[in-house]
Amino acid sequence: MDKVSSIYYFLSKYKYLLTCIIGTAIVGFLDSNSIYQRLVLHYEIEDLKAEIEKYRKVYKNDSKQLRDLERDPKNIERIARERYFMKADDEDIYVLNIDQEESTDKQPTEKQ
C-alpha cells in the first residue's frame, strides 16, 4: 500500500506538469496532425515542387522542339540522324559511346 500512496502523491503533486508533458507528446508526435507529420509532409511537398519544376523544363524544351519540327522539315531529318542514327544510302555512321565500361576481353586470373 505504501507504493500506491507514493505514486498517488507524486501524481497529485505534479498533475499539471504531467498533463503538459503528455499533451505535448500527443500533439507533437502521436497525433495524425502532429508537428512531426507536418515536417514530413513539408519536405515531401518541397521534393514534389522540385520535380514539377524539372518536368516544366522538360516540357518547355520538348515544346520548342515540336514547334521547330512543325516550322522546318529539315529539322525532322536532323533529329532522325541525331537521335535514331538514321542515314542516307551513301553514308556511314560511326557511333562513339564513352559511357560503357572497359571491354571485358581480359579473362580474370584465378588465384591458386
Side-chain angles (χ1 to χ4, degrees), residues 8-59:
Y8 178 74
Y9 175 74
F10 178 78
L11 291 176
S12 65
K13 187 173 181 182
Y14 297 109
K15 61 184 167 189
Y16 296 114
L17 179 64
L18 291 173
T19 304
C20 289
I21 290 172
I22 291 171
T24 303
I26 289 172
V27 170
F29 301 103
L30 302 176
D31 191 30
S32 63
N33 295 321
S34 67
I35 295 170
Y36 175 74
Q37 284 294 329
R38 288 201 172 272
L39 288 174
V40 168
L41 293 175
H42 174 73
Y43 289 126
E44 187 176 340
I45 287 171
E46 292 299 319
D47 291 340
L48 291 173
K49 284 181 180 178
E51 191 173 344
I52 287 171
E53 189 61 34
K54 179 182 78 168
Y55 285 124
R56 280 189 180 149
K57 289 178 183 176
V58 169
Y59 174 76

Side-chain angles (χ1 to χ4, degrees), residues 93-109:
I93 293 181
Y94 297 99
V95 179
L96 302 175
N97 192 355
I98 59 172
D99 293 339
Q100 294 179 350
E101 295 180 14
E102 292 182 20
S103 64
T104 56
D105 293 336
K106 299 178 183 176
Q107 295 293 328
T109 58

Side-chain angles (χ1 to χ4, degrees), residues 1-12:
M1 203 55 143
D2 185 35
K3 288 187 176 185
V4 174
S5 63
S6 65
I7 292 172
Y8 178 74
Y9 175 74
F10 178 78
L11 291 176
S12 65

